[in-house]
Amino acid sequence: MPPKRKSSGASRRQMQPEAAQREKEAELALQQAAELALSSDEEHDSPLDSEDELAGGAASDGGSDSEAEGAPGSSGVDREIENAVLGYMAAVEKRRQQRQPRLRGSSEDDGGDADTEEEEAGGSDAEDDDEGGSPAVTDSDDELPASGSGSDDDEEGGSGSEDEGSEGEARLQQHAAAAAAAVAEDPDPASDSSEDERPNRNTIGDVPLEWYQHEEHIGYDVDGKRLAKKPGGRKDLMDALIARADSTRDFLRTVYDEYNDEEIVLSKEEMRMIQRIRSGQFPHVEVDPFEPEVDWFTRDVEVMPLSGAPEPKRRFIPSKWEEKKIIKLVRALRKGWIKREAAPEKPDTYLIWEDDGKTLDKTATGLTYIPAPKLKLPGHEESYNPPAEYLPTEEEKNAAQLLEEEERPQFVPTAYDCLRKVPAYASFIKERFERCLDLYLCPRTRRKRLIIEDPEVLVPKLPKPQDLQPFPVLLSVRYTGHTRPVRSVAPDASGQWLLSGSDDCTVRLWEVRTGRCMRVWQLEEPVSCVAWCPSPQLALFAAASGKRLFLLPSSTGNEEQEAATEAALQASLAAAGGGGSGGVEEGQLVSWQRRQEGGGGGGEGGLVVLHKFSIKNVTWHARGDYFATVAPTGNTQAVLVHQLSRGVSQNPFRKNRGRVVRVLFHPSKPFFFVATQQNVRVYNLAKQALAKKLVAGSGVITSMAVHPTGDHLIVGAEDKRLCWFDLDLSAKPYRALRYHNYAIRGAAFHRSYPLFASSSDDGTVHVFHGRVYADLMTNPLIVPVKILRGHEVVDFQGVLDVAFHPTQPWAFSAGADATICLFVNP
């Protein structure tokens, strides 16, 4: 084995000069290839774009450095770039060689070729060492010490070759690292992509960098991730001086980006662009500012047509249809069917100033033209598929149905899937017609907008309720005894007694101060209304029950009044010629009959006026001789006027315009008020003519009361409004009071105090101060002063009637809870 080792060392010493020779030849070939590539690049570039001209005086330093480094030629090629290119090419060639499969010798054979194989293996190892690569991996571990053993000469020779191989390997690694750094800094130098396309660009915008002075990041990228600061940060003056000494050209071409915390080395193309911009030229060379204009559209008239097809024959002969039309026009002109309009004649006189008297703004009638107001533009709620927040809920729809027709919303948003499912607008023609009427009939005037600084000045200055005393405030007495709702209450002229009629078919007489029931009249049907006779000589009252009107003595007067009452009843019965108990004969309006003893129970005496229809209301004249009844279902016999002294009845109206609900006599004049469901008519009984028609403009009228002076009227309706009419002022309401929550059922004036009240189904009685002045120029003063509560709502019915005490500021109320309340002023 020693001879074999010796032969191996000898063969290695023989291979060392050959390896060195091959390395030199490869390096020379690579250098020639690099110079050839650089020379071709210089021929391609313009000689005016040298870096010495771009850098100015500082380029001379770079040139001296290049000469000191031994650069072949002064053509502006950077020596460092050249070394990086050479190192990069050497590294690529070495990787290619390493990737080639290496042939390894097989294990030691018994033949005589072992020595030859070991020599070849040693030679390959030497080559690897010389080229800077790692030693080849052998198949057997026993060969490693064998390759290292031998004489001293062999060891010295081996160490020398290893030093040369390590030096070459280090040089190649340095060139490869420089090339990789150059590629990393500018992977594509020829690319014209913008700097904004580089990854991890800072996107904070125009934000002061002082905000990130004490932070670990410099900003955020497009994805919102933080961009960390570089460990070293920006170079200080010392580092900049060292970098300039190392590479002057790179230093002069380096720009520091504060927002991205990086240094950018400008390329040759960017330097050329800067030079062209500074000289006032376009940044890009390919832009030609003086290129010839291309005239895409010619200005000359072309002789050839657009189409080469021959023209048709119809263009050369006249049209027969045009000929017929011309004949018709000529015939119409000859016969005078078509008249030529004469030219307008210019006036002989004209205004010197065109705007004299603002004639341009006035129409032919001399009135100023006012344009019609524009319609409101539709909003989101009027879309065929509005957003969900505009659609009403089921509760809102149900609540809208409970409102009055005037208060309901005119338009309810509705959603449809598509436009073809939207139905036609039902009120389109009606709205257009009403708008045309408004534009044609309603006058329009210009109103100047008032500038009001303090809105409180618009609030009327009303006196305090404490200053308007007295008026009823406290519940004093509750009258109980009825078993059904009380429909009507009526105090007598003295204020000592109170009458009440109820659905339990009874009429009760109460003592006002004690609340004791003094007498009960049992009738056959529910009592709808009771009323005292205002005559001071008679102690008599009327009660409406079904089709019968009872005239009953109250037995509350003295002997003279009782005798006069009995005599008046006997005289009226004798004058009417009644006394029987039959029905109404044909041709008669009513039948006057004596009340049967014990037939109705609860007392004796009295008269019965039998009607054909059910009576709902009865009212007396101020003198006490006449009284009127209302039967809403009586059609032409709805209103009848009766005379007690003569025992006669008459029908003053042959035809009623509407369903009559209430009637009243004027307290001092021969006027008769007839209230239908929509309006109130005032008739002059002396002239037997219609004096005035009052339009309430509200819902169905339910109650009515006249002021003691007779010049004012209040009307209650089902639309919760109480209208005050001034008969001397207008046929429309002077004031509409809307304080109740439900329909109004009763209304009354006080005889001596400036008070009036209204009762409603909401279970309350509203008391108002209504002062009427003798001066016709002063409007009445109407102030709400008190809300009286004392009744419960039963079956959606509250307070059915209200009446005032004749002498005291007290109020009586009849409720659906079968009770009567007296409210007094303490």
Side-chain angles (χ1 to χ4, degrees):
M1 294 300 296
K4 289 183 179 180
R5 291 178 181 175
K6 184 175 181 180
S7 61
S8 175
S11 62
R12 183 174 297 179
R13 284 195 300 270
Q14 294 176 3
M15 293 296 295
Q16 288 178 358
E18 296 176 1
Q21 186 66 23
R22 285 196 300 269
E23 180 183 357
K24 291 179 180 180
E25 292 176 359
E27 184 176 356
L28 181 60
L30 292 173
Q31 184 176 1
Q32 291 177 359
E35 290 177 356
L36 181 61
L38 291 174
S39 62
S40 62
D41 188 17
E42 290 175 0
E43 292 175 1
H44 180 72
D45 295 336
S46 175
L48 296 176
D49 297 337
S50 63
E51 295 180 359
D52 295 339
E53 296 177 359
L54 291 175
S60 60
D61 298 344
S64 61
D65 293 342
S66 302
E67 293 175 0
E69 292 175 0
S74 59
S75 59
V77 180
D78 197 346
R79 182 61 180 174
E80 295 181 2
I81 299 176
E82 180 181 356
N83 295 337
V85 172
L86 293 176
Y88 178 75
M89 296 177 65
V92 170
E93 182 65 21
K94 182 178 179 181
R95 292 193 190 97
R96 186 180 63 79
Q97 293 178 3
Q98 288 180 355
R99 292 175 182 174
Q100 293 180 359
R102 297 179 180 179
L103 298 177
R104 299 296 183 183
S106 60
S107 59
E108 295 182 357
D109 298 332
D110 295 338
D113 301 340
D115 297 337
T116 307
E117 293 175 358
E118 290 180 358
E119 291 176 0
E120 291 176 359
S124 63
D125 294 340
E127 287 182 0
D128 294 337
D129 294 339
D130 293 339
E131 292 177 4
S134 59
V137 180
T138 58
D139 297 335
S140 178
D141 296 338
D142 297 338
E143 294 181 0
L144 292 175
S147 63
S149 62
S151 61
D152 297 338
D153 298 336
D154 297 339
E155 293 176 358
E156 291 177 359
S159 63
S161 62
E162 290 176 357
D163 294 339
E164 292 177 1
S166 62
E167 182 179 358
E169 180 180 358
R171 186 169 62 255
L172 291 176
Q173 289 180 356
Q174 182 179 2
H175 292 332
V183 173
E185 291 180 0
D186 193 3
D188 189 6
S191 176
D192 58 349
S193 61
S194 175
E195 289 292 325
D196 296 334
E197 298 179 0
R198 293 187 178 183
N200 298 333
R201 301 297 297 174
N202 197 353
T203 59
I204 59 175
D206 190 10
V207 175
L209 294 179
E210 289 81 5
W211 295 0
Y212 298 88
Q213 183 176 2
H214 302 288
E215 302 292 337
E216 296 180 0
H217 58 284
I218 192 65
Y220 301 87
D221 59 0
V222 178
D223 299 331
K225 299 180 181 180
R226 296 184 178 181
L227 299 177
K229 294 182 180 178
K230 293 184 178 180
R234 187 174 183 179
K235 296 180 180 180
D236 54 3
L237 296 179
M238 184 59 68
D239 294 339
L241 183 60
I242 295 173
R244 180 172 183 175
D246 293 339
S247 178
T248 305
R249 294 189 177 185
D250 288 347
F251 177 79
L252 295 176
R253 291 187 303 169
T254 302
V255 179
Y256 179 73
D257 188 3
E258 295 181 354
Y259 277 85
N260 295 284
D261 193 15
E262 62 180 357
E263 293 182 354
I264 301 174
V265 179
L266 302 178
S267 62
K268 295 165 58 178
E269 180 63 27
E270 293 171 347
M271 295 296 294
R272 296 190 190 101
M273 292 174 62
I274 294 175
Q275 183 184 13
R276 285 192 289 269
I277 293 173
R278 294 180 62 183
S279 61
Q281 301 178 4
F282 286 91
H284 298 279
V285 182
E286 58 271 12
V287 178
D288 186 8
F290 305 105
E291 60 183 359
E293 181 181 1
V294 179
D295 192 2
W296 299 102
F297 302 95
T298 179
R299 297 178 178 82
D300 302 330
V301 179
E302 298 292 339
V303 178
M304 296 299 296
L306 297 178
S307 176
E311 295 185 3
K313 185 179 179 181
R314 61 178 177 272
R315 296 188 182 178
F316 300 96
I317 60 177
S319 174
K320 59 179 181 180
W321 305 108
E322 292 181 357
E323 182 181 1
K324 291 181 179 180
K325 191 172 183 179
I326 293 173
I327 292 174
K328 288 182 179 180
L329 293 176
V330 171
R331 185 182 304 168
L333 290 173
R334 289 177 178 177
K335 293 186 177 182
W337 296 343
I338 300 177
K339 297 182 180 179
R340 300 178 182 179
E341 296 181 358
E345 298 180 359
K346 295 183 179 181
D348 297 337
T349 59
Y350 60 92
L351 295 174
I352 298 178
W353 310 106
E354 291 183 356
D355 58 347
D356 187 10
K358 296 182 180 180
T359 57
L360 297 179
D361 296 338
K362 295 183 179 181
T363 59
T365 58
L367 301 177
T368 304
Y369 171 73
I370 301 176
K374 296 182 179 179
L375 292 175
K376 181 182 178 182
L377 297 178
H380 295 289
E381 65 277 0
E382 297 185 12
S383 173
Y384 76 93
N385 192 7
E389 57 267 18
Y390 289 95
L391 297 176
T393 60
E394 293 296 333
E395 297 179 356
E396 294 176 350
K397 292 181 180 179
N398 296 334
Q401 293 296 329
L402 297 177
L403 297 176
E404 299 294 336
E405 186 176 358
E406 298 179 357
E407 299 180 359
R408 293 178 187 173
Q410 298 180 357
F411 177 77
V412 179
T414 308
Y416 298 94
D417 297 338
C418 55
L419 192 59
R420 61 185 176 83
K421 293 184 179 180
V422 179
Y425 184 44
S427 304
F428 176 77
I429 299 178
K430 179 181 178 182
E431 286 188 359
R432 291 294 177 181
F433 179 72
E434 291 180 352
R435 177 168 173 79
C436 293
L437 289 180
D438 294 341
L439 297 179
Y440 177 69
L441 299 177
C442 299
R444 298 190 298 274
T445 58
R446 295 183 183 272
R447 292 185 178 181
K448 294 184 178 180
R449 186 176 180 180
L450 299 178
I451 301 176
I452 301 174
E453 298 179 356
D454 187 9
E456 294 184 358
V457 300
L458 299 177
V459 180
K461 302 299 182 182
L462 298 177
K464 296 181 180 181
Q466 293 78 5
D467 301 336
L468 302 177
Q469 293 279 1
F471 52 83
V473 175
L474 299 176
L475 176 60
S476 176
V477 181
R478 184 183 296 272
Y479 305 90
T480 60
H482 288 287
T483 58
R484 298 292 300 276
V486 182
R487 294 290 176 181
S488 177
V489 290
D492 69 335
S494 63
Q496 182 180 359
W497 309 101
L498 177 68
L499 277 175
S500 64
S502 174
D503 287 348
D504 59 0
C505 305
T506 61
V507 176
R508 293 178 180 266
L509 180 65
W510 309 86
E511 189 177 7
V512 172
R513 295 184 178 273
T514 61
R516 184 173 56 177
C517 181
M518 303 301 295
R519 193 169 181 180
V520 178
W521 287 270
Q522 184 69 38
L523 304 181
E524 298 178 358
E525 297 182 22
V527 180
S528 59
C529 182
V530 293
W532 286 94
C533 179
S535 175
Q537 291 82 16
L538 303 177
L540 182 68
F541 70 90
S545 176
K547 297 181 181 180
R548 294 177 174 83
L549 177 67
F550 293 89
L551 299 176
L552 303 175
S554 61
S555 303
T556 57
N558 51 29
E559 295 180 358
E560 295 179 359
Q561 290 178 342
E562 292 294 336
T565 303
E566 186 64 27
L569 293 177
Q570 292 293 339
S572 62
L573 183 61
S581 59
V584 181
E585 297 180 1
E586 186 177 356
Q588 294 183 350
L589 296 175
V590 296
S591 175
W592 291 71
Q593 302 175 3
R594 181 184 299 274
R595 181 169 179 264
Q596 299 296 329
E597 296 292 339
E604 65 283 345
L607 296 180
V608 176
V609 182
L610 182 61
H611 292 66
K612 295 181 181 180
F613 304 95
S614 297
I615 306 171
K616 295 297 180 183
N617 186 30
V618 59
T619 181
W620 286 88
H621 189 267
R623 296 181 180 180
D625 190 20
Y626 291 93
F627 60 94
T629 57
V630 176
T633 59
N635 298 327
T636 57
Q637 300 181 8
V639 179
L640 298 179
V641 178
H642 312 275
Q643 186 177 5
L644 178 61
S645 60
R646 297 176 57 185
V648 295
S649 302
Q650 59 180 342
N651 184 9
F653 308 106
R654 298 298 179 186
K655 184 177 180 181
N656 294 316
R657 299 182 180 275
R659 187 170 183 175
V660 181
V661 292
R662 289 295 176 96
V663 294
L664 285 176
F665 287 96
H666 194 279
S668 58
K669 298 180 181 179
F671 289 117
F672 189 58
F673 300 91
V674 179
T676 60
Q677 291 182 342
Q678 302 298 331
N679 46 52
V680 179
R681 287 180 170 84
V682 183
Y683 293 94
N684 191 336
L685 298 179
K687 297 181 180 180
Q688 296 183 359
L690 177 65
K692 184 175 292 187
K693 179 181 177 181
L694 306 178
V695 180
S698 58
V700 178
I701 296 176
T702 57
S703 58
M704 180 174 57
V706 64
H707 194 267
T709 60
D711 296 334
H712 301 272
L713 187 75
I714 57 175
V715 175
E718 290 184 354
D719 64 345
K720 302 173 284 187
R721 289 196 297 179
L722 182 68
C723 300
W724 177 293
F725 287 93
D726 190 347
L727 301 181
D728 296 334
L729 181 63
S730 172
K732 295 183 179 180
Y734 161 69
R735 185 72 57 84
L737 307 174
R738 188 167 186 172
Y739 295 100
H740 289 285
N741 297 328
Y742 293 97
I744 296 176
R745 296 301 175 187
F749 272 106
H750 200 284
R751 293 184 181 180
S752 55
Y753 288 95
L755 298 174
F756 67 96
S758 63
S759 61
S760 171
D761 283 339
D762 57 5
T764 62
V765 175
H766 287 242
V767 181
F768 300 86
H769 178 88
R771 182 176 295 277
V772 177
Y773 298 94
D775 184 8
L776 298 179
M777 300 301 295
T778 305
N779 295 327
L781 176 63
I782 301 174
V783 182
V785 292
K786 188 62 178 178
I787 300 177
L788 305 177
R789 294 181 174 88
H791 295 276
E792 297 180 359
V793 179
V794 179
D795 295 335
F796 302 101
Q797 293 182 349
V799 183
L800 303 179
D801 194 14
V802 63
F804 279 101
H805 193 277
T807 58
Q808 299 293 333
W810 299 347
F812 300 93
S813 61
D817 56 354
T819 61
I820 304 171
C821 295
L822 171 61
F823 298 92
V824 300
N825 181 36

